[in-house]
Amino acid sequence: MPSSVMMSDLSWEEYCRRITEEDAVVIVPVGAVEQHGYHLPLGTDWMMATYMACRAAENIGGVVAAPIAYGARSQVRTGGGPHRCGTTNLCAETLIALVRDVLMEIARHGARKIAVIDSHFENRFFLDEACYRAQEELRVSGRDVRIVKMLYAERIKPETLEIVYKGIGYPGLDLEHGGILETSMMLYCYPDLVNMTKVVDEPLPAFPPYDVYPVNPDWVPQSGCLSSGKAATREIGELLVEEFVALVTSCLRQEFR
Ligand SMILES: [Zn+2]
C-alpha cells in the first residue's frame, strides 16, 4: 500500500510514528460549506483547503489531518451571505472551540508542529483565536508546540495578478467569491465539479460601507457570486494553484525547519 499524507488513511501506529519519531508537520485544512454561484460546488472552500494541504504535505513530508469542512458564517460583502440554501455555517464560538479542540488533540498525541490552512475569508479571526488559545494552553501546561495559520490566497504576486485579471482588474480577495480565482483553481483541481455553461457575467456588486441585520439579499448578485468567473481557465488555475502550493510549502519550511 503506498504511503499516504492523509491522517485518515493511516493506522494509529503509523500516524503516531510520523508525528513523534519523524516530527512531521500536521496540516489541518479548514474551509466552508458555502454557495459559490450556479457553476461551483458547495464544497469549493474545504476541498481547495484540503488540496493545498495535501500538496504541501507531499513537499515537506507532512500529514494532513481530517479536514474541518464547515466554517464561519458567510458575510454578505465577502461570501454572499448566510441566506442562500446550502450555505451551512458554524457560529464563531463553535468554530473557535472546534478548531481549538482539534489542535489540542493533535498536540496531546505528540505533534509539535501544526499548520492550519484556511481557504474561507470569514474564518480568519476565529482561527486566530483558536490557534492562540490552543498554543497558550499548551504553553502553560509545559508543551512546546508551534502553530502556523495561513490563508493561502492572501498574497498573490503582482505579475500573476496582471495575467489573471488582464483587462479586468483584481476586484480584491473579498469579492473573489466564485470569481476568476476560485473558478480557475477548481477547473485545475476538480474539473468534473465545475459547470462553465452556468457561469454568469454580472457587474460587481456596489456594497455600501456597512452591514445590515437582517441581511438584505438584494445586495448580492442573483447567482451568489461576487465577481464573474467568466474569464476563468484551467491554465489560470494551474498558475495560481502552483504559486500557492509553492508559497505554503516555503512558509512551512521556513517556520518548521
Ligand atoms: Zn470560496
Side-chain angles (χ1 to χ4, degrees):
M1 203 161 77
S3 141
S4 170
V5 295
M6 298 299 289
M7 171 196 197
S8 300
D9 294 346
L10 306 176
S11 69
W12 74 266
E13 189 183 32
E14 174 67 0
Y15 175 67
C16 184
R17 190 183 65 73
R18 297 286 302 280
I19 65 171
T20 55
E21 286 172 37
E22 289 182 13
D23 206 14
V25 179
V26 179
I27 308 178
V28 185
V30 188
V33 177
E34 180 180 54
Q35 68 80 19
H36 277 74
Y38 303 125
H39 66 293
L40 290 177
L42 291 163
T44 293
D45 283 3
W46 76 260
M47 288 191 284
M48 278 313 311
T50 305
Y51 179 94
M52 285 295 157
C54 288
R55 290 284 309 277
E58 282 163 10
N59 289 342
I60 64 167
V63 174
V64 179
I68 297 177
Y70 297 96
R73 182 172 299 116
S74 180
Q75 302 284 305
V76 168
R77 291 187 290 138
T78 53
H83 53 288
R84 292 281 163 101
C85 183
T87 295
T88 308
N89 300 147
L90 301 178
C91 68
E93 294 88 343
T94 308
L95 180 61
I96 293 168
L98 172 61
V99 175
R100 176 240 171 236
D101 284 1
V102 170
L103 297 177
M104 296 291 286
E105 285 292 273
I106 291 169
R108 187 170 67 86
H109 293 147
R112 297 185 316 114
K113 303 169 178 175
I114 308 175
V116 175
I117 298 299
D118 178 24
S119 65
H120 176 57
F121 198 82
E122 288 88 333
N123 284 342
R124 191 171 180 160
F125 296 110
F126 309 119
L127 293 185
D128 174 75
E129 187 64 20
C131 293
Y132 181 84
R133 281 191 203 175
Q135 205 288 325
E136 184 61 13
E137 286 174 55
L138 289 161
R139 186 188 66 78
V140 168
S141 64
R143 304 287 284 276
D144 169 30
V145 174
R146 189 174 186 79
I147 304 171
V148 168
K149 172 183 78 80
M150 187 172 187
L151 177 68
Y152 56 78
E154 190 177 311
R155 188 177 302 171
I156 307 172
K157 290 180 189 161
E159 56 268 36
T160 304
L161 285 179
E162 242 168 68
I163 297 169
V164 174
Y165 297 96
K166 197 164 180 235
I168 301 167
Y170 182 42
L173 195 56
D174 50 339
L175 293 185
E176 243 308 339
H177 179 71
I180 296 175
L181 181 137
E182 284 190 306
T183 305
S184 298
M185 289 173 69
M186 288 296 284
L187 279 172
Y188 179 56
C189 302
Y190 302 97
D192 295 345
L193 299 179
V194 185
N195 185 348
M196 287 303 282
T197 65
K198 293 232 172 189
V199 184
V200 289
D201 203 358
E202 298 157 307
L204 290 178
F207 291 132
Y210 58 85
D211 300 302
V212 66
Y213 309 90
V215 300
N216 183 349
D218 297 341
W219 286 9
V220 184
Q222 192 52 43
S223 70
C225 297
L226 300 186
S227 54
S228 176
K230 201 96 191 160
T233 64
R234 186 192 173 282
E235 288 68 33
I236 290 175
E238 179 174 6
L239 177 70
L240 287 164
V241 168
E242 295 305 328
E243 179 171 320
F244 294 148
V245 168
L247 179 69
V248 173
T249 301
S250 71
C251 292
L252 297 186
R253 280 199 179 124
Q254 159 89 13
E255 287 301 324
F256 293 122
R257 76 189 144 194

